[in-house]
Amino acid sequence: EDQVTQSPEALRLQEGESSSLNCSYTVSGLRGLFWYRQDPGKGPEFLFTLYSAGEEKEKERLKATLTKKESFLHITAPKPEDSATYLCAVYGNKLVFGAGTILRVKS
Amino acid sequence: ETGVTQSPTHLIKTRGQQVTLRCSSQSGHNTVSWYQQALGQGPQFIFQYYREEENGRGNFPPRFSGLQFPNYSSELNVNALELDDSALYLCASSWGQGGNEKLFFGSGTQLSVL
């Protein structure tokens, strides 16, 4: 059965303090790995799709990378508005989400 | 371009009742997926509809059923509600039936079963 484990469960950063979120996965036949951002009371918002090991994508202060077993979401010099829950999901024959990492950035 | 809209935003039901949740897809999208998100958890896939046909289902019992209409809007029906059905129900639309397309989510319906 496809599985996604995200760590840490929660992360508190000071503004400007860079860090990384981890997404470990097991899937039979990866057809895509997704990162979403979810704000309280809202649905997830798409950030990135990665398809193969070695692929990287960037958007503003966020950079996602992919290996055969895990993905990282690197956050460079975060700002308070980056505070949200970050969800990782893999698609094998259906989309399976992890439980997310709650990120809080303090000014 | 209108986004994905869901109604109602909040709902309170009692155990054993039935509920219908509604979703309007983003303009131009022909696929709708439904997810259940319990507090502190990631969304769990319920099912997907592509051009009015069910196109994949997660590990949910048959009392969870759905419909997609010709305008690609959708309904999620849950019969014989149980306490564990309390959750945020998310609808997502996309273009295509591959399953690995980018999803556009609505803000969800918060269902409380008492």
Side-chain angles (χ1 to χ4, degrees):
Chain A
E1 187 173 319
D2 300 346
Q3 284 192 321
V4 177
T5 303
Q6 292 188 245
S7 62
E9 292 183 5
L11 182 62
R12 291 189 178 192
L13 299 174
Q14 286 296 125
E15 185 173 2
E17 180 186 2
S18 301
S19 187
S20 296
L21 312 183
N22 178 263
C23 170
S24 298
Y25 64 90
T26 55
V27 63
S28 51
L30 180 70
R31 294 169 58 189
L33 183 141
F34 301 82
W35 283 97
Y36 284 85
R37 168 193 169 126
Q38 187 172 23
D39 292 299
K42 299 281 183 69
E45 178 187 349
F46 173 82
L47 293 173
F48 303 109
T49 308
L50 302 168
Y51 293 102
S52 56
E55 191 174 356
E56 298 182 352
K57 288 196 177 170
E58 288 188 66
K59 178 181 178 180
E60 297 179 358
R61 295 176 292 283
L62 300 177
K63 178 180 177 180
T65 62
L66 180 64
T67 73
K68 288 187 177 179
K69 293 183 179 180
E70 57 192 351
S71 176
F72 292 93
L73 185 65
H74 307 278
I75 303 177
T76 302
K79 298 182 177 182
E81 54 262 42
D82 294 323
S83 297
T85 297
Y86 289 86
L87 295 165
C88 172
V90 296
Y91 188 83
N93 57 19
K94 66 178 181 181
L95 196 61
V96 177
F97 280 86
T101 293
I102 302 170
L103 174 66
R104 292 288 177 260
V105 182
K106 288 198 168 185
S107 58
Chain B
E1 183 180 271
T2 56
V4 178
T5 58
Q6 294 187 241
S7 62
T9 54
H10 295 82
L11 202 51
I12 299 175
K13 291 286 188 177
T14 55
R15 195 171 51 182
Q17 284 188 312
Q18 178 266 342
V19 69
T20 297
L21 311 182
R22 294 180 174 83
C23 171
S24 293
S25 304
Q26 180 157 318
S27 173
H29 287 178
N30 56 10
T31 301
V32 171
S33 305
W34 286 91
Y35 291 82
Q36 180 194 67
Q37 187 174 25
L39 193 62
Q41 299 298 315
Q44 271 198 293
F45 176 67
I46 303 175
F47 44 57
Q48 181 185 77
Y49 279 83
Y50 171 70
R51 293 188 176 181
E52 304 177 58
E53 298 281 336
E54 189 177 289
N55 183 42
R57 189 178 182 93
N59 297 327
F60 281 81
R63 58 190 185 84
F64 285 78
S65 63
L67 281 174
Q68 187 181 30
F69 300 100
N71 66 355
Y72 303 130
S73 65
S74 178
E75 285 183 356
L76 165 65
N77 299 290
V78 187
N79 293 323
L81 283 166
E82 300 178 359
L83 298 179
D84 285 348
D85 295 333
S86 295
L88 179 68
Y89 288 85
L90 293 163
C91 168
S93 73
S94 57
W95 172 256
Q97 62 170 332
N100 58 346
E101 297 85 14
K102 177 167 84 171
L103 297 177
F104 293 80
F105 284 87
S107 292
T109 294
Q110 186 66 54
L111 173 64
S112 299
V113 182
L114 306 177

